[in-house]
Amino acid sequence: MPLNRLGLVVHQGRPAAVAAARTARAWCAAHGVSWTDIDVWREGEPRRGGQAEADAAGHPELIITFGGDGTFLRGARIAAKDGASVLGVNVGRVGFLTEITTDQVEEALDVLHRDEAVIEDRMVLTMRASRPLRTPVGLDTLLCYGRGPALPAPAVRPDAAEAVDWGVALDVTAVNDVVLEKLARDRQAGVAVYLAGQLLASYSADAVIVATPTGSTAYSFAAGGPVVDPAADAIVFTPVAPHMAFGRTVIAAADEAVAMRVLPHSGRVAVSIDGQHRGVLDPGDWVAAYRAPYRLRLARLASLEFYHRLRERFHLTDAPATAIDQAPLFHRPDTPPPDDLAHLRDLRRPFRDRAVDEARRAR
């Protein structure tokens, strides 16, 4: 189906992002496609939640972000709420979530307009809590210093019934992670963590992270967590600098909830969603993160080569002892798989040649 309306999220502090967005607007004008800038913030003005942004933008079918992974997450929270697809244009430093470079904007829009793009679904998280999240007056200024206006506290979802035992459903979409972290350096976060309704452990730590497979390469990875293929459905729990012998990551089934209760001796705990501060918990409060009933739709020009991207983005190097072996960059038989492999992902799908991409950029 041809495109009718685009939403553009632009990192205004990066000239390359502003220029690439200008290219996208010119393409829209030439093809009769409407567009609108979304999640535009100004100092002193409040930002809107994801659904409110989608409503104000006229419910675009596609949201394009121009920036790094942080800008991509800004667009993704809006797209996931509204069932739109999201495409990231990378002008950041890492770009693990973004898909294309600035010189591919017109090509990508042509592919999307012809309905030839690959749409990849990703698991995201949502939340329930013992009470609506809020931040004490004045504390949001400190927590968000230098980062632009804060997002509003998550609203209570009107479509979900409140139950005493299950708490209130919050209008939250976490593409990467939900994090509980200490507010003061001299007060650890004391958090009891429950999996499948049973106590796993009570942690005294700098933070605890509940991540999606997509978010496994973000904060959880930096804290020593594993890399999980984003095509998988799982919940990754990682403590950060815990004061206990057991500090390992636990990978839970996707149909379980990870509940976290702030212990009586703990200091206040900040709640962040995809790196954005969203509220403060007091001792006795709890939150539970779990797989959302909807999914994020990522638009791509070709199927994701996750392990190729992992090697490239993290600059993985081979062991010196293996250098003489000259191992091939990939192993892909050309013949159909035998019966015992036929149920697996097709390893023969086209591989996007890095040399082709580099030649395109050089033009």
Side-chain angles (χ1 to χ4, degrees):
M1 176 182 244
L3 296 173
N4 292 306
R5 188 171 186 83
L6 303 186
L8 309 180
V9 181
V10 186
H11 190 313
Q12 296 293 338
R14 295 185 182 272
V18 174
R22 193 179 303 121
T23 299
R25 295 186 190 102
W27 183 95
C28 288
H31 291 79
V33 176
S34 63
W35 59 269
T36 184
D37 288 319
I38 58 179
D39 200 26
V40 179
W41 66 59
R42 298 175 179 82
E43 290 294 338
E45 295 185 13
R47 294 173 69 187
R48 291 182 287 223
Q51 191 59 62
E53 282 286 355
D55 294 343
H59 305 283
E61 307 139 288
L62 173 70
I63 293 176
I64 306 180
T65 70
F66 300 84
D69 284 350
T71 309
F72 177 87
L73 291 169
R74 286 169 53 195
R77 74 181 178 89
I78 301 166
K81 286 283 196 309
D82 216 37
S85 300
V86 60
L87 172 72
V89 179
N90 182 33
V91 293
R93 290 182 291 273
V94 178
F96 210 92
L97 294 172
T98 48
E99 169 69 4
I100 63 171
T101 55
T102 53
D103 61 328
Q104 294 176 294
V105 171
E106 291 180 314
E107 175 193 354
L109 286 168
D110 287 339
V111 170
L112 286 156
H113 200 45
R114 294 194 301 265
D115 201 19
E116 295 175 356
V118 175
I119 303 298
E120 178 184 314
D121 288 341
R122 294 281 184 92
M123 168 186 158
V124 295
L125 298 173
T126 189
M127 288 174 54
R128 279 183 173 261
S130 55
R131 61 167 175 80
L133 295 182
R134 59 177 180 270
T135 300
V137 176
L139 191 57
D140 55 343
T141 303
L142 175 64
L143 293 174
C144 300
Y145 177 76
R147 303 187 64 184
L151 286 169
V156 176
R157 292 206 314 266
D159 60 332
E162 179 179 353
V164 174
D165 292 339
W166 297 94
V168 294
L170 300 179
D171 190 16
V172 161
T173 297
V175 177
N176 271 352
D177 47 42
V178 174
V179 178
L180 271 60
E181 52 196 330
K182 66 180 184 181
L183 274 175
R185 186 175 182 183
D186 61 344
R187 293 291 301 275
Q188 292 294 100
V191 181
V193 177
Y194 302 81
L195 287 170
Q198 301 178 27
L199 178 66
L200 172 67
S202 293
Y203 292 85
S204 180
D206 285 358
V208 292
I209 306 166
V210 181
T212 64
T214 298
S216 70
T217 52
Y219 190 9
S220 176
F221 177 82
V227 173
V228 181
D229 190 317
D233 273 14
I235 297 179
V236 182
F237 168 75
T238 303
V240 181
H243 286 240
M244 57 191 296
F246 183 78
R248 302 298 182 113
T249 291
V250 175
I251 300 179
D255 59 357
E256 295 177 356
V258 180
M260 296 165 284
R261 180 170 59 88
V262 183
L263 297 172
H265 67 273
S266 174
R268 280 178 163 175
V269 172
V271 180
S272 64
I273 299 162
D274 288 342
Q276 298 284 320
H277 170 74
R278 304 302 297 275
V280 171
L281 299 179
D282 295 319
D285 292 334
W286 61 263
V287 297
Y290 54 96
R291 180 178 61 184
Y294 51 88
R295 301 175 75 85
L296 177 67
R297 293 166 48 84
L298 271 68
R300 299 194 178 281
L301 300 189
S303 297
L304 173 66
E305 297 292 343
F306 173 69
Y307 299 107
H308 172 68
R309 181 168 293 191
L310 181 70
R311 178 182 175 89
E312 186 180 60
R313 294 295 196 270
F314 287 141
H315 306 290
L316 301 185
T317 56
D318 305 313
T322 69
I324 194 172
D325 293 334
Q326 295 295 312
L329 289 178
F330 55 92
H331 171 66
R332 285 172 191 250
D334 294 327
T335 57
D339 291 343
D340 63 320
L341 299 178
H343 63 290
L344 301 180
R345 190 184 306 175
D346 188 356
L347 296 177
R348 296 173 299 146
R349 68 187 188 277
F351 184 83
R352 192 165 64 184
D353 192 342
R354 188 186 335 185
V356 173
D357 284 346
E358 290 175 350
R360 183 186 294 117
R361 295 187 193 108
R363 288 201 297 264

